[in-house]
Structures are given as C-alpha cells and as structure tokens.
Amino acid sequence: MKRNLIFACLSCLCAALLSSCAPKAEDPLLCGTAQFANPETDFAVNYLPVGDIYQAKVIELKVDSTGHYEFDMDLPDGPVDVDIYVDAQLFGAHLEKGKTARLDFRQNADGEVECIFGGDNADVSQAVSDGAQTTDLFSMQGMDYAEAKATTDQRHQKAMASAQAIKDKDLRDYYTRLEEARYTGICLRLLGDRAAEEHCKETDFPEYAQLISTIDPNSDIDYMAMNSILWIMSQPKTPQPGFKGDYSAFCIELMDLTDSLITNKKLRKQMAYAVPQQFYGYGDHETGKEAFWARYQEFAKDYPEYIEAFKGEYEKVVRNMDGQPVPDIQLEVFVHGALCVSYSGLCYASQHCFGRSANRGECAQFCRMKFSLIDADGREVVNDRYLLSLKDMYQSDHLQ
C-alpha cells in the first residue's frame, strides 16, 4: 500500500514536471470580452507596424460565440500603442511583448460603449485610450468651434489625469508630454476648421502663432502627436495655392525647408511621401512639372520606393501634355454598391451639415455612419443602423 502511494506521488510529480517543461503558446498581446447589442458592430484595431503612418493597418477583431476576442501581432523593437474602433467610438491600448492587455467592452443603458481596462499595464492602456479620444476629430463633426474646443478641453483634462496616474515614472513622463503635444495639435486643427467656417486664414488668430511656436518638429513626441507635419507645412513663405492651383513653387520650398531644418528621420521620410501627394493630389499637375520632378528626385533619393511610386504620375502628366494617344488597354468594369442616397452630383447634405460640398469632391460621407430613427413623439423607432446607406445592389447575375 505504502509502495503504491509512493509510485502514485512520483507519477504525479513527473507529470507536473513534464507539463511545466512542455512548450506553451504565448498569451496574446490583447484580449478581452465584447458585449454589443448589435451583432453588426464594427470592431477593429488600427496600428502602425513599423511606426510609419503611411503603412497603417486596420484589422477586424473577431468575437467568438462566448463573447471573447484576441489580437496578436509581430511587435517591432519596443511597445506599440494601438487604436481600437467600436463603430464610431475610439479607444486605445498599450501592447508590450510578453504581456497581455485586457480590454472588456460593454454597452451601457444609453447604448454607449464602455471599456474596463485590465491585464498588464492597465494604467498605461487607460492613458493611451483617453489620449486617443483627445484627438478624435471625427466624433466632433457637426460641432461649431466653441463646442468642439470645450469638448477637447474636457477630454484633455481626463487624458492628463490618466497619464499622471501611470505608476512607472518614465512612462508617466512620456505620456504626459505626449498628451500635452496632442492637445496642441488638436487645437491647431480646430483653428483650421474655424478659419474655414469664418472664411479667413488660420494665421488671423493670435493663438495660432503661439501654438506653432511650442512645436519642436524634430522631437519624437511632436512627431508622434502629428504636430511636426503641421509645423513644417506652416513654414513656407510661398502662399499655399487653392485646389488645382500651381503647387510647384510651394512644394519646392517645402523640400528646401525640410532639407535645411529637419533632422528627424521619420519626418523626413514622411515628407518624401507627403510632398508629391500635395503636388499630384491638389495641384494642376502641369505647371512646373519638370522643375518639381527634378527637385523631388534629389530630395527623396534615400527613398527610391517613393520615387518609383510617383514616377507613374509624372510620366502620365508628360504623356498627356505631349499629346500622345492613350494606349489601347483592356478596361475592367464593375457594378458598384452603397449608392448615394441622393442623385449623384446633386447632394447638398454634406455642404449643409459640414460646409463640405459633395458636388466639388469634398463629401463628408456621413451617410455611411449609423443613425437612430426618432419619430415625432420622441420614440426611438430604429436604433443604431445604417439608415442613410442603401443596401448593395448585387448584379452579378445580370452581367454580360
């Protein structure tokens, strides 16, 4: 009996040792639960895999039958902050190798989504989330400047409190400085919207120059807050042309200023992509095309992939200007869905609500958002559905 008991104990001990030595799957970087009333709720994570804003990725988060979700990714050298979208609401999380952040989402009685932070670095994820909400301009669409500024101030105070509550001193200092920089950036963007509303220039407001003066374009903090790009775009003496104007002189000055003033490698790379976007996306493409392209090739010599990417735009302009015929190529035709609720080219909703004319290529596309339908007696008929977006017209059976 005693011998059998010893053998049994040894067997249990060996099993435990073997179990502890067996390889285990690493815990995910992010997990939690998600309880949404609407099963069609958009739920996704947005992140920069290599810290480059032009390589941002959006990955849908899948909620299983038990209400749980997980997310993993290959981290770069250090931790990564990610944005998490739940429909139009924005949250954030701090991800670090070997640790698991836990975010549990649920809807309150008013239908708004709330988040409970847990797991590793919960205090940091809370600060990241509150900081992301400070810069959430999309949620302030339809507000005038005074209302948007008041909303931003409230969010900023909350984010600063979260940042200063982080236990780790180095992280506390970093996120406090980042939140201060983000607040500067959002205030500048709101002034830009105010200038558009009042049909004037941003520089007409005294606070604009004061805010710009606080930005160090070469600091990583201002780069992460997306303030560095605001600073460099404010420096040219050449007036920024309007849509389809001559952007060649403005863009060449931008490149000259970047070469002489910018040492931050991330910002230099960003400008190598942003400058041709300005020229080919907003300019008339034709005026000053040779001078711009010659200067750009020298400016972006460290980023041949960008030169190659925009080479086609330059060559297309040259072909069109030289009058060469369009080559005989096969065209692919498709049947689109999500039709505009109004007659194409005759919709005034975006212009009326946001001052952005759909008839001039600036549609805010808020008809793609979810709405609730309230009847004349104030009763909610439909909750949080795509009421202004028509269902896709599936026409594959009719293609010839």
Side-chain angles (χ1 to χ4, degrees):
M1 183 71 174
K2 190 179 293 184
R3 184 181 299 172
N4 290 340
L5 182 60
I6 292 173
F7 281 142
C9 291
L10 287 173
S11 297
C12 291
L13 179 59
C14 289
L17 288 172
L18 288 172
S19 175
S20 64
C21 294
K24 295 181 180 179
E26 288 189 6
D27 292 331
L29 293 169
L30 173 66
C31 69
T33 58
Q35 301 174 10
F36 306 132
N38 184 358
E40 298 180 4
T41 296
D42 293 326
F43 188 34
V45 61
N46 174 53
Y47 68 97
L48 310 179
V50 290
D52 184 349
I53 64 172
Y54 292 114
Q55 296 189 38
K57 292 185 180 296
V58 178
I59 306 296
E60 182 181 0
L61 294 174
K62 300 289 187 181
V63 182
D64 64 23
S65 58
T66 66
H68 289 78
Y69 72 91
E70 290 185 356
F71 172 75
D72 234 334
M73 61 180 278
D74 292 329
L75 287 177
D77 295 336
V80 168
D81 294 337
V82 299
D83 293 332
I84 299 173
Y85 292 92
V86 184
D87 279 342
Q89 289 186 246
L90 178 61
F91 302 90
H94 178 80
L95 307 184
E96 188 174 347
K97 189 173 183 178
K99 297 184 178 181
T100 299
R102 182 179 179 90
L103 275 65
D104 294 313
F105 298 93
R106 65 186 182 190
Q107 282 184 289
N108 61 25
D110 297 326
E112 292 186 350
V113 176
E114 298 175 337
C115 180
I116 299 173
F117 297 89
D120 297 315
N121 294 324
D123 54 343
V124 185
S125 287
Q126 175 79 65
V128 171
S129 189
D130 291 341
Q133 291 171 11
T134 299
T135 61
D136 186 12
L137 276 173
F138 187 78
S139 65
M140 292 185 279
Q141 287 195 44
M143 297 183 186
D144 61 19
Y145 173 77
E147 185 181 1
K149 182 63 166 59
T151 300
T152 297
D153 289 345
Q154 291 176 352
R155 292 176 178 177
H156 173 58
Q157 291 174 7
K158 181 182 178 183
M160 284 295 288
S162 296
Q164 291 167 1
I166 294 175
K167 301 179 185 68
D168 183 274
K169 182 182 183 304
D170 291 339
L171 289 174
R172 181 170 64 249
D173 292 345
Y174 172 79
Y175 283 103
T176 298
R177 291 165 55 215
L178 181 60
E179 174 56 29
E180 289 171 343
R182 281 175 166 168
Y183 179 67
T184 296
I186 200 68
C187 287
L188 283 168
R189 289 173 173 85
L190 289 176
L191 283 176
D193 291 343
R194 181 184 176 188
E197 290 174 7
E198 300 180 12
H199 305 288
C200 62
K201 297 179 180 179
E202 300 161 321
T203 51
D204 292 339
F205 305 116
E207 56 266 47
Y208 178 83
Q210 190 276 325
L211 288 168
I212 284 289
S213 69
T214 65
I215 296 174
D216 176 2
N218 292 309
S219 77
D220 287 335
I221 289 287
D222 276 312
Y223 176 80
M224 290 300 297
M226 298 187 183
N227 292 349
S228 298
I229 190 74
L230 294 177
W231 185 90
I232 192 66
M233 293 295 290
S234 73
Q235 299 304 302
K237 297 291 189 283
T238 305
Q240 185 168 352
F243 186 63
K244 293 303 178 184
D246 177 10
Y247 266 76
S248 58
F250 177 78
C251 288
I252 288 173
E253 186 177 359
L254 268 180
M255 291 186 278
D256 292 342
L257 288 168
T258 301
D259 277 344
S260 61
L261 300 175
I262 302 303
T263 57
N264 186 304
K265 292 182 179 179
K266 293 179 181 178
L267 179 57
R268 290 183 67 86
K269 183 176 182 180
Q270 183 179 354
M271 291 301 293
Y273 194 91
V275 169
Q277 276 195 325
Q278 286 277 325
F279 184 79
Y280 292 113
Y282 298 97
D284 66 0
H285 302 179
E286 300 171 0
T287 308
K289 64 182 187 301
E290 300 288 359
F292 168 79
W293 185 246
R295 178 67 181 92
Y296 178 70
Q297 289 183 93
E298 193 275 330
F299 174 70
K301 61 181 181 297
D302 293 333
Y303 313 103
E305 68 275 19
Y306 290 166
I307 294 177
E308 186 63 27
F310 287 99
K311 184 178 180 181
E313 293 290 336
Y314 168 71
E315 292 178 342
K316 181 172 64 176
V317 172
V318 171
R319 283 197 303 270
N320 291 343
M321 289 294 291
D322 290 345
Q324 296 181 12
V326 176
D328 184 15
I329 59 175
Q330 184 177 357
L331 298 179
E332 179 181 355
V333 179
F334 65 96
V335 178
H336 68 79
L339 292 176
C340 177
V341 296
S342 185
Y343 292 104
S344 180
L346 293 174
C347 180
Y348 299 99
S350 178
Q351 173 67 24
H352 176 75
C353 294
F354 305 113
R356 293 172 54 180
S357 174
N359 305 326
R360 293 194 292 271
E362 296 179 336
C363 183
Q365 296 188 343
F366 68 101
C367 56
R368 317 292 176 164
M369 298 171 61
K370 293 181 179 180
F371 291 86
S372 296
L373 181 62
I374 310 296
D375 66 15
D377 297 323
R379 294 173 298 191
E380 188 174 70
V381 179
V382 180
N383 175 257
D384 202 27
R385 300 302 297 269
Y386 294 103
L387 299 180
L388 298 184
S389 183
L390 302 183
K391 292 185 180 296
D392 288 346
M393 297 179 62
Y394 185 71
Q395 295 290 312
S396 64
D397 293 338
H398 303 282
L399 295 178
Q400 298 180 357

